[in-house]
Amino acid sequence: MAADHPVTLAGIADERVDHRFKALPPDAEGLTVGDLAAERRNLFTGGFTTPVLALSAESVEHNLALLETYADRHGLAFAPHGKTSMAPQLFADQLERGAWGITAAVPHQARVYRAYGIQRIFLANEVVDAVALRWVARELDTDPDFRFVCYVDSVRGVELMDEALRAAGATRPVEVVVELGAGEGARTGARTDADCAAVADAVAAVSTLRLTGVAGYEGEVPDASPERVRDWLRRLVAVAADFDRTGRFAGAEEILISAGGSAWFDAVAEVFAEIPGLSLPVCKLLRSGAYVSHDDGHYLRITPFNRVPEEGTLQPAFRLWAQVVSRPSDGQAFLNAGKRDAAYDLDLPQAQVVRSARDGSVRAATGVTVTGLSDQHTWVRTEPGAELEVGDWVGMGLSHPCTSFDKWQLIPLVEADGTVTDYIRTFF
């Protein structure tokens, strides 16, 4: 079920290109982003400086279509986690591809979403900040079409939310879902069925909140395996069924049951297909976010499509281009990208291709291995016979989209031949 209102992207194309944006052509200074995109410059010959992060237009389109098809095939609503990209242009693409809304982790992200017209926000955290709750109340009160849902996982959290919303004079109740924790030692969430029931009863006792469903994050299941994850998801469904049987969803228009990061959405699809008939329509809400760019490391290893290849394959969309600035010995080279430019929290970048500075030819980065990152340098080991010289461009695959997007405010969207068709604006 797609959102009813289009995302408002006004202003992004009108922003001026200047020194704030890494790697963009110096001779584009003063152009608008829209004007620069219309020039369709080439990433390699159009004046871009290194390092430069590129996002494959073809891979992004493929990934968007794949998850749309997957969610539709399995009867899932989809609220991809926006914290991955914080890019309203990609949110617009996701909503056009049938997404129910966009997931947030913190109130600031929700403010960005609202600035660009997102009408359904699922905030996967308990919100106890009185200032943030006052903002939520104002957004709900001034826009009857805006829908906001967030977690609750404690009686104290409910007390704080109620106190803040009453002080704000909220006229619409905030929809909440009880978060079920993934187990002892895991992250947030009520740990036991009794804890969940106590939180639900606390919600029922106040007028400022309305219980809409249950949710959680299966990626935090300790010692996760397909069996353990499915067991936890069935427990989540059982909590929802118990709440329904005991009348705890009184006043709700539907029951929202949500899970699904980027590692186990196949298990979510399997278990959610087993949800029994309840007294209200059920919204089965998946929240995977990393798929839009995928990666060449962590998510390449853990994607559920490795287990269900017949359902499709995601394509890594990021490539970081850096230039060889030093070749001090036969076995070593240094590139001009570093921790300020590349994700490194899960895996180091992987050298994939080399573009010759002499003739523009592209070859596999055979014998070229990234061994470390400094703030502004990539340490490279070269095997005997490896072709690499000062001035060459090295294209690297990255691991972990969330810490790739956040290092770049304006990312060229590039076609396979190097043509830059657009620039993706991020807001971190």
Side-chain angles (χ1 to χ4, degrees), residues 237-321:
V237 171
V239 170
D242 178 68
F243 283 4
D244 186 47
R245 185 177 61 254
T246 54
R248 289 188 168 98
F249 294 128
E253 296 180 359
E254 66 179 359
I255 297 171
L256 196 156
I257 304 177
S258 180
S262 295
W264 296 103
F265 54 74
D266 57 331
V268 173
E270 178 184 337
V271 173
F272 280 13
E274 304 169 356
I275 293 175
L278 301 178
S279 65
L280 293 169
V282 176
C283 177
K284 306 171 184 179
L285 191 64
L286 185 68
R287 306 193 307 272
S288 314
Y291 80 98
V292 69
S293 67
H294 198 44
D295 72 5
D296 281 292
H298 179 70
Y299 286 101
L300 183 65
R301 293 190 296 270
I302 69 170
T303 176
F305 288 118
N306 292 336
R307 294 185 291 272
V308 287
E310 68 278 5
E311 299 250 32
T313 304
L314 290 169
Q315 297 177 0
F318 273 132
R319 180 164 281 174
L320 177 65
W321 290 94

Side-chain angles (χ1 to χ4, degrees), residues 3-279:
D4 300 324
H5 298 262
V7 176
T8 302
L9 297 176
I12 290 180
D14 298 329
E15 195 162 11
R16 294 288 173 181
V17 174
D18 57 26
H19 62 276
R20 293 171 297 161
F21 304 117
K22 295 191 291 186
L24 298 193
D27 68 353
E29 178 95 14
L31 293 178
T32 67
V33 172
D35 289 341
L36 182 57
E39 292 184 355
R40 295 178 63 85
R41 297 195 186 197
N42 186 279
L43 186 72
F44 307 106
T45 62
F48 293 84
T49 63
T50 57
V52 57
L53 182 66
L55 197 57
S56 163
E58 293 89 351
S59 294
V60 168
E61 177 62 24
H62 169 86
N63 295 343
L64 288 166
L66 181 58
L67 260 291
E68 177 189 21
T69 300
Y70 185 88
D72 184 63
R73 181 185 301 130
H74 292 281
L76 300 169
F78 190 30
H81 212 316
K83 56 102 174 170
T84 298
S85 71
M86 289 303 295
Q89 291 147 289
L90 296 179
F91 300 162
D93 291 337
Q94 290 168 320
L95 292 166
E96 287 173 6
R97 291 288 191 170
W100 173 94
I102 305 293
T103 295
V106 293
H108 161 71
Q109 293 167 358
R111 288 187 63 203
V112 173
Y113 300 178
R114 288 297 288 161
Y116 289 92
I118 303 297
Q119 288 295 103
R120 296 195 190 112
I121 297 174
F122 184 95
L123 200 154
N125 252 326
E126 185 168 72
V127 181
V128 294
D129 182 329
V131 174
L133 288 163
R134 183 163 61 244
W135 173 82
V136 169
R138 184 170 63 251
E139 292 293 305
L140 289 169
D141 289 349
T142 58
D143 184 353
D145 294 325
F146 174 44
R147 186 173 182 190
F148 177 87
V149 183
C150 71
Y151 283 177
V152 286
D153 81 344
S154 64
V155 171
R156 176 59 176 156
V158 171
E159 293 172 352
L160 289 169
M161 292 183 75
D162 177 56
E163 179 182 319
L165 291 168
R166 282 189 289 106
T171 60
R172 286 177 62 191
V174 171
E175 291 184 65
V176 294
V177 292
V178 172
E179 183 193 6
L180 174 67
E184 287 302 320
R187 208 162 61 186
T188 53
R191 291 294 192 259
T192 68
D193 291 356
D195 291 340
C196 289
V199 175
D201 290 343
V203 171
V206 301
S207 62
T208 54
L209 304 177
R210 176 178 296 148
L211 187 65
T212 296
V214 297
Y217 177 48
E218 76 291 339
E220 281 289 312
V221 170
D223 301 317
S225 65
E227 295 74 21
R228 285 177 179 268
V229 169
R230 284 194 293 267
D231 286 346
W232 179 84
L233 287 163
R234 291 189 178 106
R235 186 177 164 216
L236 181 72
V237 171
V239 170
D242 178 68
F243 283 4
D244 186 47
R245 185 177 61 254
T246 54
R248 289 188 168 98
F249 294 128
E253 296 180 359
E254 66 179 359
I255 297 171
L256 196 156
I257 304 177
S258 180
S262 295
W264 296 103
F265 54 74
D266 57 331
V268 173
E270 178 184 337
V271 173
F272 280 13
E274 304 169 356
I275 293 175
L278 301 178
S279 65

